[in-house]
Amino acid sequence: MVTRAIVRGVGHYLPARVVENAEFEASLDTSDEWIRSRSGIERRHLAAEGEATSSMAIAAARDALDDAGLTPDDLDAIVLATSTPDLTFPSAATMVQAGLGMTHGFAFDVQAVCAGFVFAMANADAMLATGQARRVLVIGAETFSRIMDWEDRSTCVLFGDGAGAVVLEAAEGAGTGEDRGILSVDLHSDGRHKDILYVDGGTSTGQTGSLRMLGKEVFRHAVEKLADTAHAALDKAGLTGADVDWLVPHQANLRIIKATAQRLQLPMERVIVTVQDHGNTSAASIPLALSVGKDRGQIREGDLVVTEAIGGGLAWGSVVLRW
Ligand code: UT7
């Protein structure tokens, strides 16, 4: 017998304001056609003044707890993946803890940029497997609109804000690929690639800074590394692409998603795609896609789900789980 981290509930939150591609045409030398054809993005949600990563995370957390039929009292820990915390410290996770009225347990942030949710799930899985917690709320929440250079057409049209969350619960499994819960994890980073995707601010400048990206370079790494890490995670679980019900990729670019699915020999009918409506929400993109995928009736109990993501660092990885 082994301890598995099973998904007990899932939820999300998207800010009310929706910005269509065409709105950028007034202020930038860009077009709906360019954004759509190069990225697959059609619109994105942007946080209102007064909304922050923690407030969106709290809303997503409540939605996931409702779905699980649980309350904050039932949680032991909160792990929040974000690169856009409200403040440098304390962690956004502790703000969520307070916002939920939770005065026990512990909470902390994980920072692996767009791969953050995969790293946070891996962390929660390890805590559940070693008995440090029985229920962990894992959240991905981002306010990338606050780190955009709104004059840089090569980045600002690509990102959006939002939050998604899952409640993971320890359960006994047989130790086979048929178990429900997280079956395998594959994580990587390579800090040599810092300059192709970074924010040009922080304690070294005293300013929050703006996102800078060499899109073509990141694209090249993504296409190669995402399929490799998903394959590696499937191998570790003793499974193959043929076993996969749903690929739930990081939602950065439809062309990257299609190339990864092709490398995994998965038809697009088995891929959850939300990038057209959300843009790239960094660490929030996978839990948002899980939640929307469940709401659409696509992801059902017993389905084999493969998640994969890559982002600044570079950091990338994959988690294979049975829903
Ligand atoms: O989540 C973290 C991981 N991030 C990613 O996975 C993003 C990876 N990269 C990408 O998604 C793509 O590289 C982009 C969508 C960012 C760009 O697509 P691309 O096909 O690689 O285009 P490009 O950067 O090579 O740019 C092509 C042209 C350039 O003009 P020239 O040099 O060919 O004359 C750009 O200046 O498109 C121009 N361009 C734009 N034109 C209209 C760049 N941004 C825009 C824009 N509107 N918004």
Side-chain angles (χ1 to χ4, degrees):
M1 290 302 222
V2 297
T3 303
R4 297 291 194 192
I6 65 160
V7 177
R8 174 83 191 256
V10 63
H12 69 273
Y13 173 82
L14 288 160
R17 184 172 166 226
V18 176
V19 175
E20 301 286 337
N21 287 347
E23 284 191 44
F24 289 106
E25 292 172 2
S27 56
L28 291 170
D29 180 13
T30 190
S31 64
D32 174 43
E33 201 284 318
W34 189 95
I35 301 168
R36 227 176 250 259
S37 62
R38 294 300 175 119
S39 71
I41 297 165
E42 297 172 23
R43 60 192 64 82
R44 72 288 293 139
H45 293 249
L46 297 185
E49 217 177 299
E51 279 191 306
T53 293
S54 66
S55 61
M56 294 193 297
I58 290 166
R62 290 206 173 109
D63 195 31
L65 284 165
D66 280 353
D67 185 50
L70 298 171
T71 74
D73 288 346
D74 301 313
L75 298 173
D76 300 318
I78 300 171
V79 185
L80 196 165
T82 190
S83 302
T84 48
D86 305 20
L87 301 172
T88 302
F89 77 78
S91 67
T94 54
M95 296 182 185
V96 173
Q97 184 189 23
L100 293 175
M102 179 176 159
T103 52
H104 65 281
F106 58 95
F108 59 94
D109 287 358
V110 163
Q111 209 269 49
V113 202
C114 296
F117 187 74
V118 167
F119 279 69
M121 288 285 273
N123 196 300
D125 180 46
M127 292 196 297
L128 291 164
T130 52
Q132 293 177 73
R134 297 289 301 167
R135 287 199 198 97
V136 182
L137 176 65
V138 184
I139 309 170
E142 301 276 20
T143 321
F144 263 46
S145 60
R146 306 264 159 77
I147 52 164
M148 284 299 117
D149 173 349
W150 291 103
E151 291 177 0
D152 177 7
R153 67 175 183 172
S154 72
T155 54
C156 74
V157 300
L158 302 174
F159 293 88
D161 299 332
V166 299
V167 179
L168 293 181
E169 182 173 79
E172 279 201 347
T176 72
E178 293 305 310
D179 289 348
R180 283 189 68 202
I182 294 180
L183 300 175
S184 62
V185 168
D186 185 62
L187 301 179
H188 302 270
S189 64
D190 185 344
R192 290 175 301 174
H193 302 299
K194 167 181 141 276
D195 294 338
I196 65 172
L197 180 50
Y198 65 102
V199 171
D200 61 4
T203 54
S204 58
T205 64
Q207 308 283 329
T208 307
S210 300
L211 182 145
R212 305 292 172 204
M213 178 167 74
L214 298 178
K216 243 190 189 14
E217 284 296 303
V218 179
F219 191 102
R220 197 171 54 78
H221 283 284
V223 168
E224 174 198 311
K225 292 180 166 59
L226 290 173
D228 286 353
T229 188
H231 265 137
L234 281 166
D235 268 357
K236 288 182 193 181
L239 298 165
T240 71
D243 299 307
V244 177
D245 293 298
W246 294 107
L247 176 66
V248 184
H250 171 49
Q251 310 280 324
N253 186 314
L254 186 59
R255 291 186 293 142
I256 295 174
I257 293 172
K258 284 183 172 167
T260 307
Q262 197 172 18
R263 281 173 160 236
L264 293 168
Q265 295 183 303
L266 287 172
M268 285 306 286
E269 292 72 41
R270 285 203 267 151
V271 184
I272 305 285
V273 181
T274 55
V275 69
Q276 70 282 1
D277 296 326
H278 301 166
N280 182 346
T281 58
S282 185
S285 91
I286 290 175
L288 269 166
L290 289 171
S291 184
V292 169
K294 190 197 165 204
D295 289 350
R296 284 180 189 155
Q298 293 174 300
I299 303 175
R300 293 159 193 241
E301 190 169 317
D303 282 355
L304 189 77
V305 174
V306 177
T307 65
E308 39 82 342
I310 186 165
L314 295 175
W316 67 101
S318 174
V319 168
V320 171
L321 63 96
R322 195 172 293 284
W323 197 257

